Amino acid sequence: MEKQEILSRAKEYIAQEKDERFRKEVEELVAKENFAELEDRFYQTLEFGTGGLRGIMGGGTNRMNTLEINRATQGLANYFIKTFPEKAKEGKLSAVVAYDSRLNSDVFAEATALIFAANGIKAYLFSGVRPTPELSYAIRELGADTGVVVTASHNPRMYNGYKAYWNDGAQVIEPHDKGIIVEVNAVKEVKTISKEEALKNGSLKIIDKEIDEKFWEMCKAQLFRPALIKEKASSVKIVYTPLHGTGAMHVEKVLGDLGLKVITVPEQKKPDGNFPTVEKPNPEEAPAMKMACDLGEKEKADCVMATDPDADRFGTAFPDKDGKFVLVSGNQMGALLMEYVLISRKELGTMPKNPAVVRSIVTSPFGDAICEKFGVKMIECLTGFKWIAAAQAKMEKDGSAEYVFGLEESYGYKVEKETMDKNGISAAALCAEMTLYWASKGKSVLEHLDDMYAEYGYFQDGAISKYFEGPTGPAIMDGIMTKLRTEGLKTLGGKRVVKIRDIRESVSFDPANPAQKGTLDFPKSNVLQFFLEGGTIVSARPSGTEPKIKFYINACLPPKGKDGLSESKKEAAALCDAISEEINSVLDGAK
């Protein structure tokens, strides 16, 4: 991009941005003629994508700031006014706004609520930081038409984001996502109102405990064995970290009400958008779990739990026989919780006639083997919990099945129907009960996980992520996906590729016979999947929220009983290593 064009975009931004902090950042860069930084901030406009906005905070069109938040909210308001004209005319539209502990989240959330209010949409704004699943719950509880949560989930501290929700409590999907994007891109003027005036005329209402208390009760109501918890709760010790996010009040309350002893990591309890003790507040990553695991070892805890800043993701670790804590992956915990739900429903006689579990296409097929044993249907969907919610909504509408659980490999789980997003709070309660259940059978969770491998087969996960930042990043990632589509992969890790699923092109085929193609019933998405002989699956997917491309490895080996478990673990590890080496060579060659 030419320097003059960069300067022109920067000056236009300066003229429009009313938030002094962000405006000054750009003014200083212009004064210093820092064109490299200015290009990164202005080579594109941060796009309102299918899930909303996410990006690095700062001044510029390619940054998260008040100007971009205002534009997004005005577009969202315009879409709902046009979609529900009668309700808009009668002044009956409403929206719920929540925010997490990140820097500027409170500022962005208040600006969002006031723009809704100025457009005749009654805004319910939480009084303080709240989890994303509570936002989903509140939309349904209050009968609102839309909702927004200001969060960047598990991203590093410099990020923030904005997720938009529909009236069913789920994130917006097609066709509404594309319709909202059109409205956002067409915004010329933003309406707003002062907080004092909005509170006075009733277009803004602050909410807290009236939703909190109902949300807590809903999470506790998902449990299967309250008598077991009451009897055994005092025998289990849990160490928990909210990773400086929104979860502490909720996890402590829900688990505390059950009589469970929860020790929250003191250095990570207070909400703090600087995330001072972790580089990334992501329970998927071992460094983020270290303080909790160290405290768990010191306290001789039975379980370590963590939620990310907006408490929709849930991570765990359990002690081995030597008292050292072992991290449990998202796929492993998903399989453990799902099996526990199915065991419980079967034992208690609450299994519906046509039960179904929903997982994303990049989640391990470990759960498929479990579902087969219990006679439960497994439904696949695109990556992102909004698609799991959409599958649940479809079941409820057409009666094709009854939702009993939803999971995704990125540490997302949902047992309840009352929220339409993953819920780290209810997952924590369910995990605590599951831990008690297996303890009552004389087993630790890790011991039972090995039992599952002996019965269902051995499943090992691997993931490779590579970032391509800056103006050339998108083109490099497009080049990688194009190369994989045109040249393909015939083998991986010494295993023949027997099927390729191209979700973007809605086709599946055997690369040995590419002319014969089957069709896929997924919405189009830029995902490629390679199915290897023996059952292993490798998926390639550029991120929708970060400048990275990610490969998922789901190594699958047939069951060999307990005696063959050690051999299976070695074989799976070797397979994952070989596949990773090949994928890294592809990424290293990308330009």
Side-chain angles (χ1 to χ4, degrees):
M1 186 178 288
E2 297 294 328
K3 287 185 178 180
Q4 199 55 44
E5 186 179 354
I6 294 170
L7 281 173
S8 176
R9 296 190 71 175
K11 288 176 181 178
E12 183 180 353
Y13 173 84
I14 289 168
Q16 294 176 343
E17 179 62 86
K18 295 178 182 178
D19 191 311
E20 186 179 0
R21 297 166 305 155
F22 297 125
R23 187 176 67 247
K24 277 190 172 182
E25 285 182 11
V26 178
E27 288 173 340
E28 288 175 5
L29 290 170
V30 171
K32 294 176 181 177
E33 297 186 349
N34 188 340
F35 290 109
E37 179 66 18
L38 283 168
E39 182 180 28
D40 188 53
R41 289 174 181 244
F42 288 98
Y43 78 88
Q44 66 175 6
T45 295
L46 192 67
E47 290 187 7
F48 190 99
T50 55
L53 295 167
R54 189 175 297 186
I56 295 171
M57 289 177 279
T61 58
N62 189 34
R63 292 290 188 271
M64 279 290 296
N65 49 57
T66 314
L67 186 64
E68 292 303 316
I69 289 287
N70 291 353
R71 187 171 68 93
T73 307
Q74 185 62 57
L76 189 60
N78 291 346
Y79 184 79
F80 274 87
I81 289 167
K82 290 180 179 179
T83 304
F84 301 105
E86 291 302 315
K87 288 189 78 172
K89 187 177 180 181
E90 295 171 7
K92 291 182 179 179
L93 287 175
S94 63
V96 187
V97 182
Y99 58 96
D100 72 1
S101 59
R102 287 179 178 272
L103 302 177
N104 299 306
S105 283
D106 55 345
V107 175
F108 294 160
E110 184 175 297
T112 297
L114 294 176
I115 290 168
F116 280 134
N119 281 274
I121 301 172
K122 183 170 183 175
Y124 296 93
L125 175 65
F126 276 101
S127 62
V129 297
R130 291 299 188 281
T132 289
E134 187 173 4
L135 180 278
S136 174
Y137 176 81
I139 291 170
R140 291 163 73 91
E141 181 65 25
L142 294 168
D145 300 282
T146 184
V148 167
V149 60
V150 179
T151 177
S153 188
H154 58 292
N155 286 93
R157 61 178 63 86
M158 69 284 292
Y159 282 83
N160 213 327
Y162 177 107
K163 294 181 186 177
Y165 287 72
W166 196 247
N167 56 20
D168 62 354
Q171 289 185 58
V172 292
I173 59 169
E174 56 185 28
H176 305 298
D177 51 1
K178 293 179 176 62
I180 292 167
I181 291 169
V182 169
E183 290 295 335
V184 170
N185 292 337
V187 168
K188 301 296 183 187
E189 180 183 355
V190 176
K191 299 178 183 178
T192 191
I193 186 175
S194 72
K195 185 176 182 180
E196 293 73 21
E197 186 179 351
L199 287 168
K200 186 177 180 180
N201 67 25
S203 58
L204 173 66
K205 182 179 179 181
I206 307 300
I207 55 174
D208 44 40
K209 66 179 182 180
E210 66 269 34
I211 300 298
D212 293 336
E213 291 171 355
K214 291 180 179 179
F215 178 69
W216 297 333
E217 290 305 313
M218 181 277 296
C219 289
K220 288 184 287 187
Q222 307 311 314
L223 300 176
F224 296 96
R225 296 178 174 83
L228 174 66
I229 295 177
K230 188 175 182 180
E231 178 189 350
K232 301 282 188 180
S234 61
S235 67
V236 169
K237 188 185 291 186
I238 295 166
V239 165
Y240 165 71
T241 174
L243 295 174
H244 304 289
T246 62
M249 175 174 74
H250 303 276
V251 170
E252 289 178 350
K253 172 63 178 174
V254 171
L255 271 61
D257 283 355
L258 297 170
L260 293 158
K261 184 176 182 181
V262 179
I263 303 168
T264 303
V265 177
E267 299 90 341
Q268 297 177 327
K269 181 174 179 176
K270 184 179 178 182
D272 186 343
N274 288 302
F275 306 117
T277 66
V278 290
E279 184 178 346
K280 294 180 181 178
N282 185 356
E284 296 181 61
E285 300 191 9
M289 299 288 286
K290 186 178 186 307
M291 290 185 78
C293 287
D294 287 348
L295 183 59
E297 190 173 330
K298 179 183 175 183
E299 294 285 346
K300 293 182 171 54
D302 299 280
C303 178
V304 162
M305 298 181 176
T307 50
D308 67 340
D310 66 325
D312 59 353
R313 293 173 189 240
F314 174 70
T316 54
F318 295 89
D320 62 15
K321 291 178 180 178
D322 299 320
K324 300 293 182 182
F325 274 83
V326 177
L327 297 176
V328 172
S329 75
N331 280 321
Q332 289 171 326
M333 180 49 61
L336 281 161
L337 290 177
M338 186 191 79
E339 189 207 41
Y340 176 67
V341 168
L342 300 184
I343 286 172
S344 300
R345 283 188 171 274
K346 186 176 180 180
E347 286 184 0
L348 301 172
T350 61
M351 188 77 83
K353 288 183 179 180
N354 193 11
V357 170
V358 189
R359 70 165 175 87
S360 69
I361 56 175
V362 297
T363 298
S364 170
F366 192 177
D368 299 37
I370 299 167
C371 281
E372 186 176 350
K373 173 190 173 181
F374 284 88
V376 173
K377 184 178 183 181
M378 174 63 84
I379 296 172
E380 286 187 277
C381 65
L382 294 183
T383 305
F385 231 87
K386 64 182 181 181
W387 297 108
I388 293 176
Q392 176 189 327
K394 181 179 182 297
M395 292 179 218
E396 292 174 352
K397 184 176 181 180
D398 63 19
S400 57
E402 187 164 338
Y403 177 93
V404 293
F405 194 68
L407 67 155
E408 61 180 9
E409 54 77 38
S410 55
Y411 291 57
Y413 323 103
K414 184 175 84 74
V415 64
E416 71 271 16
K417 296 180 181 178
E418 290 85 350
T419 62
M420 297 293 276
D421 211 335
K422 53 185 176 285
N423 186 353
I425 313 301
S426 62
L430 188 65
C431 180
E433 184 182 79
M434 178 188 70
T435 304
L436 275 170
Y437 177 80
W438 290 118
S440 73
K441 304 287 186 183
K443 296 178 183 179
S444 71
V445 170
L446 293 181
E447 286 170 338
H448 179 64
L449 182 59
D450 276 349
D451 289 345
M452 292 171 69
Y453 286 142
E455 180 178 359
Y456 300 113
Y458 188 70
F459 299 83
Q460 181 164 320
D461 317 317
I464 300 169
S465 295
K466 185 160 184 177
Y467 285 80
F468 296 94
E469 297 178 335
T472 61
I476 293 173
M477 290 189 287
D478 283 345
I480 292 170
M481 295 299 286
T482 298
K483 184 177 181 179
L484 289 174
R485 282 191 168 92
T486 55
E487 298 181 13
L489 293 170
K490 300 293 192 300
T491 63
L492 272 170
K495 302 282 187 181
R496 188 171 70 86
V497 176
V498 296
K499 184 173 75 171
I500 295 175
R501 286 204 306 196
D502 189 337
I503 311 300
R504 191 188 72 179
E505 302 303 319
S506 301
V507 296
S508 67
F509 57 92
D510 181 343
N513 190 12
Q516 292 187 358
K517 290 183 170 64
T519 58
L520 299 175
D521 190 24
F522 295 111
K524 292 183 182 296
S525 182
N526 193 12
V527 182
L528 278 169
Q529 292 189 287
F530 302 91
F531 293 75
L532 314 185
E533 56 184 339
T536 293
I537 306 168
V538 178
S539 306
R541 173 180 171 265
S543 172
T545 57
E546 296 177 84
K548 71 177 181 181
I549 189 166
K550 188 170 183 179
F551 286 78
Y552 307 79
I553 304 169
N554 299 126
C556 310
L557 299 177
K560 297 178 182 178
K562 285 191 176 181
D563 292 340
L565 191 54
S566 178
E567 180 189 341
S568 292
K569 289 182 178 182
K570 289 178 183 177
E571 185 180 339
L575 179 58
C576 285
D577 287 345
I579 292 170
S580 296
E581 187 176 340
E582 291 183 44
I583 290 170
N584 279 318
S585 68
V586 171
L587 294 175
D588 291 342
K591 295 179 181 179

